[in-house]
Amino acid sequence: LKYMGAAYLIYLGVKSYIHRKENSLALPSATGVEYKLYRKGILMNILNPKVLLFFIAFFPQFVSPATENPAGELLILGLLFMAQAIVIFTLVALLADRLSRRLMQNARFSLIMHIIESLVYFAIGISLIFVTV
């Protein structure tokens, strides 16, 4: 599995290097692309085990053991967390979109960023081969 992951990262590095002169920020003109990307992001967050581990490890310390309804308090904390996460992630996404579109319009900057992306994929893939656990 480790070698398959390393091979995939190296493949991504090669693919990124081959397509380094293409504008990767342009969305296809098909309708509904934004909704598909949004749905994919939500699904990735729901299936992320780190979120569950965070809630199990972090939230119980804020619930009083003497409370009558600890599940209700956990639900309120969870809803507050979701509300602030939606606001913060939306603001970060909007800022990143505007900033990346402005920066990536510069052809030289775009080329340098794509080369750096390729090198990062290569470096992580190759280092994964030599890391022992």
Side-chain angles (χ1 to χ4, degrees):
L1 190 60
K2 178 173 93 168
Y3 295 117
M4 288 173 49
Y8 180 66
L9 287 168
I10 292 170
Y11 161 76
L12 288 177
V14 169
K15 184 178 172 186
S16 176
Y17 185 76
I18 290 171
H19 300 289
R20 67 189 176 274
K21 293 186 180 181
E22 294 177 10
N23 183 2
S24 62
L25 295 176
L27 290 174
S29 60
T31 59
V33 172
E34 293 89 358
Y35 178 71
K36 287 180 184 177
L37 289 173
Y38 178 76
R39 198 173 61 206
K40 182 179 179 181
I42 293 292
L43 184 64
M44 287 173 50
N45 274 311
I46 289 172
L47 297 177
N48 185 351
K50 292 184 289 185
V51 175
L52 179 63
L53 291 174
F54 172 77
F55 277 98
I56 291 171
F58 189 68
F59 273 12
Q61 64 186 331
F62 295 104
V63 176
S64 172
T67 188
E68 291 181 17
N69 188 7
E73 284 190 23
L74 284 172
L75 179 65
I76 290 171
L77 287 173
L79 290 173
L80 285 172
F81 179 84
M82 286 174 40
Q84 67 83 29
I86 288 171
V87 170
I88 290 173
F89 288 166
T90 300
L91 291 174
V92 167
L94 291 173
L95 177 67
D97 177 58
R98 287 191 179 177
L99 185 62
S100 64
R101 287 183 192 275
R102 186 165 292 158
L103 289 174
M104 295 304 268
Q105 286 176 351
N106 181 337
R108 182 173 167 83
F109 182 82
S110 177
L111 178 65
I112 291 170
M113 290 307 296
H114 286 295
I115 291 172
I116 290 172
E117 175 188 11
S118 300
L119 291 173
V120 168
Y121 281 134
F122 285 134
I124 295 172
I126 290 172
S127 69
L128 191 59
I129 293 171
F130 298 107
V131 171
T132 58
V133 178

